Amino acid sequence: MPTRIVLVDDHSIMRQGLRAVLEREDDLRVVGEAGTPTDAIAAVAASRPHVVLLDLKLTAGPQTDGLDVCRRLCAAHPGLGVLVLTTFAEDRLVVESVQAGARGYVVKDVDTTELVRAIRAVSRGESAFDARSASAMVRSLSGGVPDRERLTERELDVLRLLARGLSNRAIGAELFISETTVKFHVGNLMRKLMVSRRAEAVYAATKLGLL
């Protein structure tokens, strides 16, 4: 089944260009477009896409109302993959987008091959960041956010052992801590990496350069 995509961007020329690029791929299909927040909510509800390609700026002025659209879409459609495609490369916006539920973030000067790869990754439930956005996430996890949001040294130890495929019991044996303590650290690092499964944590950490 082709990956169903809705394009959300306030510039119709941008949407037309994206549609032309994406529909050259046999496994991608654009099923809807929107240029405003209201139209975006309606288009997703009507077409039930797998992925939404979302710009952060959908109205005139300095607003980044795409963040609110992202929150609303992710809350209303669990499992939906939101990939932010925008001109903004600010660390704060990358982090806020992920916190709003986005699975990926790429800047509009990304090349076609990377964009298609990112869409496919998001459609599989994986994370997708371009190099600048991944760097922003690394900075946020290593010192750009309050202490309570950073990965601790112990959490990094647990993450490395997760990447080796070890169970909680085996991780506890390696680190000389209890299985209950391992579960606590795994829960914390998954929250900080904004994922819900162990495999996603390893993938996200790899993409962010933490492993």
Side-chain angles (χ1 to χ4, degrees):
M1 180 184 297
T3 297
R4 297 164 57 84
I5 304 167
V6 165
L7 307 176
V8 181
D9 193 294
D10 61 337
H11 292 98
S12 60
I13 293 177
M14 184 69 184
R15 298 197 305 270
Q16 291 168 14
L18 285 170
R19 179 185 284 270
V21 167
L22 298 180
E23 291 194 333
R24 290 202 296 262
E25 305 294 326
D26 293 338
D27 61 330
L28 304 180
R29 179 177 301 162
V30 176
V31 296
E33 296 183 20
T36 68
T38 300
D39 288 347
I41 301 299
V44 171
S47 58
R48 297 289 178 175
H50 302 109
V51 175
V52 173
L53 213 52
L54 175 68
D55 191 5
L56 290 182
K57 189 173 184 298
L58 300 175
T59 56
Q63 299 92 342
T64 50
D65 42 6
L67 285 172
D68 182 59
V69 172
C70 183
R71 291 188 193 94
R72 293 171 63 186
L73 289 177
C74 292
H77 306 280
L80 175 67
V82 175
L83 174 61
V84 171
L85 177 65
T86 189
T87 56
F88 300 108
E90 300 173 29
D91 289 11
R92 174 183 64 84
L93 292 176
V94 177
V95 175
E96 289 183 8
S97 295
V98 174
Q99 291 172 338
R103 290 184 191 162
Y105 193 110
V106 293
V107 180
K108 283 184 176 178
D109 61 2
V110 67
D111 65 47
T112 300
T113 302
E114 287 299 318
L115 177 60
V116 169
R117 184 178 295 124
I119 291 171
R120 288 173 177 150
V122 167
S123 73
R124 295 191 299 266
E126 300 168 358
S127 300
F129 297 90
D130 62 20
R132 279 173 294 181
S133 303
S135 296
M137 287 300 296
V138 170
R139 286 190 292 271
S140 77
L141 290 168
S142 61
V145 293
D147 287 345
R148 64 183 177 83
E149 294 300 329
R150 300 178 191 172
L151 290 183
T152 65
E153 285 302 317
R154 178 58 83 193
E155 287 163 357
L156 287 170
D157 290 340
V158 171
L159 183 60
R160 294 183 190 105
L161 295 174
L162 274 182
R164 287 168 47 188
L166 272 62
S167 66
N168 286 349
R169 180 175 297 180
I171 291 172
E174 286 274 343
L175 298 178
F176 303 102
I177 56 178
S178 71
E179 187 174 353
T180 300
T181 301
V182 173
K183 288 181 181 178
F184 173 77
H185 289 311
V186 170
N188 277 345
L189 70 86
M190 287 201 295
R191 175 180 59 80
K192 292 177 182 180
L193 290 172
M194 300 168 195
V195 297
S196 59
R197 296 196 296 267
R198 295 160 73 96
E200 290 176 345
V202 173
Y203 181 84
T206 301
K207 295 287 284 184
L208 294 172
L210 298 175
L211 290 172

